[in-house]
Amino acid sequence: MEIWSTDRYAPMPSQGYVAKRSVMEKNEDQFVRISRALTASVNEIISEPTEMIYQRASKDFQIPRLDQLDELTAITRATIDELWLSQGKDNLMRNVPSLWEQGVNTLRDAKLISADDPTRFYTNSYIDRALKG
């Protein structure tokens, strides 16, 4: 199995969470807490042995390929290194403006969207608040 980022050919954000702006504005504290929890989980996956994380999680969840733990761990490590950290650890869990701009440009050039302003599609305000503690 080979894992690689599409950014070389079509730079754009990935693994996004989608919510209506009006819902987020009504529930700001909830979205900050969600961002904090997701960040803590991702940081644990990045820094701890994934075998132990999978074994612990398998007590509550069905995990595909758990019977092939070496392969599962290798896939996870490749995903972390090649995708999650593709823009550096400082940008983990953050929207990277240049990726959004390039992604919107690619979709607009393909006539899939007509949007001009990529900043209307994302915010870093909740993750920024979550990281400040």
Side-chain angles (χ1 to χ4, degrees), residues 1-121:
M1 173 179 228
E2 186 171 332
I3 295 174
W4 49 274
S5 173
T6 61
D7 289 349
R8 179 176 171 190
Y9 308 100
M12 61 182 58
S14 64
Q15 286 192 307
Y17 299 97
V18 180
K20 290 176 68 172
R21 190 174 304 270
S22 61
V23 172
M24 293 176 76
E25 289 169 353
K26 282 183 188 176
N27 302 288
E28 287 186 26
D29 289 338
Q30 181 179 11
F31 281 93
V32 170
R33 289 192 312 270
I34 290 167
S35 297
R36 190 174 294 126
L38 288 170
T39 300
S41 293
V42 166
N43 280 323
E44 180 182 7
I45 292 168
I46 287 172
S47 63
E48 299 294 325
T50 52
E51 297 91 344
M52 291 177 10
I53 293 170
Y54 281 124
Q55 289 168 348
R56 185 182 72 219
S58 70
K59 294 175 184 170
D60 297 314
F61 303 98
Q62 287 185 337
I63 300 176
R65 295 189 177 191
L66 190 60
D67 60 331
Q68 301 166 351
L69 193 54
D70 289 343
E71 182 179 316
L72 181 60
T73 300
I75 291 168
T76 302
R77 181 52 43 201
T79 299
I80 292 166
D81 294 341
E82 299 297 322
L83 303 178
W84 292 4
L85 298 176
S86 67
Q87 299 299 306
K89 180 108 166 74
D90 291 344
N91 285 314
L92 180 66
M93 301 294 292
R94 297 183 51 74
N95 288 292
V96 178
S98 62
L99 289 179
W100 276 95
E101 184 175 340
Q102 293 170 0
V104 166
N105 289 341
T106 298
L107 294 172
R108 191 179 53 246
D109 291 348
K111 305 207 182 319
L112 295 172
I113 63 170
S114 60
D116 287 328
D117 180 14
T119 62
R120 66 183 266 212
F121 296 111

